[in-house]
Amino acid sequence: MTTIHFAGKAYVCEPRQTLLDCLQTQGAMVPSGCRSGICQSCLMRAQEGAVPSLAQQGLSPHRAAQGYLLACCCIPEGEMTVTLPDTQGLTCAATVLQRVPLNGDICALRLHPDSPLDYRAGQYLRLYHQADTSRCYSLASVPTVDDYLEFHIRRIPGGRVSGWVHDDLQPGDRVMIGEAVGDCVYDEQLCERTLLLVGTGSGLAPLYGIVRDALSQQHTGPIWLYHGSFVAQGLYLQPELRALAARFPNFHYVPCVDRESVESQAWSARVMTALDAVMADHRSFSGYRVYLCGHPDMVNAARLKIFVGGASMSDILADPFLPSGPS
Ligand SMILES: Cc1cc2nc3c(=O)[nH]c(=O)nc-3n(C[C@H](O)[C@H](O)[C@H](O)COP(=O)(O)OP(=O)(O)OC[C@H]3O[C@@H](n4cnc5c(N)ncnc54)[C@H](O)[C@@H]3O)c2cc1C
Ligand code: FES
C-alpha cells in the first residue's frame, strides 16, 4: 500500500492497483478511455516519486523525461505526487485548410500547423475540440511529401469530436493539436522486407501515409495493402491507390467488401473481409512487417492470426481505434 498525492488530497493505492484505478475509485476526476496505454486520455505528470518505465511506454523521450506518464499503465512503486498535464506546453495551434468528403461518412481534414510538427507518417495525435475534450486521429500525410497535415475522420453517430469536425469546422478555423506519437511507422532499415498493411474504414489513414512513405523511400520488398469496408461505398482513395499500384510494381492494393454490389463488381473489390483476404493470399507471414489499424475487433483478430501464421510479435504494429472516454 502506498500514498498518492493529487490535487491537494492523499489517496491510498492498493498493491498492484493502477494509478488510474486508485484515483478514479476514490472519486478523483481523471480522464480515461482505452485503459490499455493507447489513447493517452489518462496522461498525467509526476512531480515527485519514481515513475515505472511501463507507464511511459509510447511517450516521446522528451515527454518521458519531463515526468509524463499514462495513469492506466502506472502501478506506483512508492509514494507519488501527480498532476493533470498542462496541455498548453503539449499543444500547437493549426489552421483548417480544407475539409473534403472521402465517402458518405469519412472526410479528409487538412491542417496547417503554426509551427512545423515533428512527426512520422502513420503516427497519431490529439485534436482538441475544447481544452478538456480531445480525440486521437492518425496522420495520413507524409512529412517529406505533403505540405499539410491530413486526417481521415469518420463520423460517429452522436460523436462529439467527429460530429464537430464534420458539421462545424470550416477553412480558416483555428484548432489545437497535440504531439505526434505512436510506433506504426515505416522503418527504412527494413527496405527489402514484405510489408503487409490491413485496415478497415478510416483505418486506411495511417496506412496510406505509411505506404507513400515507404514508396518515397524506394522500398524494394513487396507491399500489400488490404482495405476493408462493409459496402463498396465505404471504400475511398481508390483512384489514388490504383494509380500507385500501376506506378510501383511492388505495391498491391486489395479493396475488400463484406457485401457484394454493382459497385463492388465494377471496382473489382474482393467480397470477403480484409482479414479473410489476407489469410487466403498469404501462406506464411514469416519475415513480414505488419501494420494493423482500425476497428479493435479486426486488429485483435488479425494480430492473433498473423502471429500464429509466423510473424514475429515485434513485427506486428497495431493502432486499434479505441473509443475515448467521456472527456
Ligand atoms: C490511436 C487512435 C487513432 C485513431 N485514429 C482515428 C482516425 O484516423 N480516424 C478516425 O475516424 N478515428 C480515429 N480514432 C477514433 C477517434 O479517436 C474517436 O474515438 C472517434 O472519432 C469518436 O470520437 P467522437 O468524439 O466523435 O465520439 P464520442 O463522443 O467519443 O463517442 C460517441 C459514442 O460513440 C461511441 N464510439 C466512439 N468511437 C466509436 C467507434 N469507433 N465505433 C463505434 N462507436 C464509437 C462511444 O462509445 C460513444 O457511445 C482513433 C483512436 C485511437 C485510439
Ligand atoms: S492510455 Fe490510459 S486510458 Fe487510454
Side-chain angles (χ1 to χ4, degrees):
M1 218 146 56
T2 186
T3 306
I4 305 299
H5 303 275
F6 171 63
K9 278 191 180 171
Y11 297 82
V12 174
C13 188
E14 303 292 341
R16 294 186 297 283
Q17 191 176 33
T18 66
L19 175 60
L20 184 64
D21 285 342
C22 157
L23 293 174
Q24 286 187 336
T25 53
Q26 294 175 74
M29 297 298 284
V30 178
S32 62
C34 68
R35 307 186 92 85
S36 55
I38 293 168
C39 72
Q40 303 203 355
S41 303
C42 64
L43 190 70
M44 299 191 85
R45 191 173 187 178
Q47 291 192 315
E48 280 173 35
V51 181
S53 56
L54 210 61
Q56 296 188 313
Q57 273 185 15
L59 299 183
S60 67
H62 175 64
R63 265 200 207 184
Q66 291 176 311
Y68 285 99
L69 58 89
L70 298 175
C72 68
C73 302
C74 177
I75 298 184
E77 290 161 355
E79 200 164 330
M80 295 179 84
T81 303
V82 293
T83 59
L84 288 176
D86 168 12
T87 47
Q88 262 182 353
L90 299 172
T91 55
C92 154
T95 304
V96 176
L97 297 176
Q98 265 186 316
R99 184 167 47 84
V100 190
L102 293 172
N103 65 24
D105 60 2
I106 300 177
C107 71
L109 178 68
R110 290 186 176 162
L111 303 179
H112 179 75
D114 285 8
S115 46
L117 183 80
D118 183 16
Y119 79 99
R120 304 274 315 271
Q123 287 190 302
Y124 58 89
L125 53 71
R126 284 195 160 269
L127 172 65
Y128 285 82
H129 173 25
Q130 288 159 351
D132 61 352
T133 309
S134 63
R135 301 286 182 265
C136 297
Y137 292 106
S138 303
L139 286 145
S141 45
V142 182
T144 50
V145 176
D146 304 310
D147 53 8
Y148 45 76
L149 306 178
E150 179 167 309
F151 307 88
H152 301 164
I153 301 185
R154 180 160 81 93
R155 180 197 285 279
I156 300 292
R160 284 179 71 185
V161 177
S162 62
W164 164 68
V165 170
H166 278 258
D167 297 333
D168 300 332
L169 275 188
Q170 297 296 336
D173 283 354
R174 304 277 289 157
V175 296
M176 298 301 287
I177 53 175
E179 281 184 349
V181 294
D183 54 9
C184 264
V185 297
Y186 176 62
D187 182 347
E188 55 279 11
Q189 310 288 324
L190 310 178
C191 63
E192 292 175 4
R193 299 264 292 270
T194 299
L195 305 186
L196 171 64
L197 305 98
V198 191
T200 49
S202 54
L204 179 62
L207 307 183
Y208 186 55
I210 295 165
V211 164
R212 291 186 303 132
D213 193 17
L215 293 173
S216 75
Q217 298 199 53
Q218 278 88 46
H219 185 85
T220 54
I223 305 176
W224 290 88
L225 170 64
Y226 291 80
H227 184 211
S229 168
F230 187 57
V231 290
Q233 287 81 356
L235 298 170
Y236 65 92
L237 289 178
Q238 289 198 68
E240 289 81 354
L241 289 163
R242 287 191 196 285
L244 281 179
R247 188 168 151 214
F248 295 95
N250 61 331
F251 173 54
H252 311 281
Y253 164 55
V254 187
C256 303
V257 293
D258 293 3
R259 190 187 288 171
E260 188 159 30
S261 64
V262 176
E263 288 83 3
S264 70
Q265 286 172 354
W267 299 343
S268 314
R270 301 270 286 277
V271 184
M272 57 177 75
T273 67
L275 180 53
D276 285 345
V278 167
M279 299 311 293
D281 292 352
H282 303 263
R283 280 201 183 159
S284 159
F285 302 101
S286 173
Y288 280 37
R289 184 79 163 167
V290 182
Y291 299 87
L292 308 171
C293 297
H295 198 287
D297 292 348
M298 183 285 290
V299 168
N300 292 334
R303 193 186 340 235
L304 184 63
K305 285 193 168 176
I306 290 170
F307 171 65
V308 171
S312 145
M313 210 31 121
S314 60
D315 273 324
I316 304 179
L317 308 172
D319 273 342
F321 286 4
L322 291 161
S324 285
S327 58

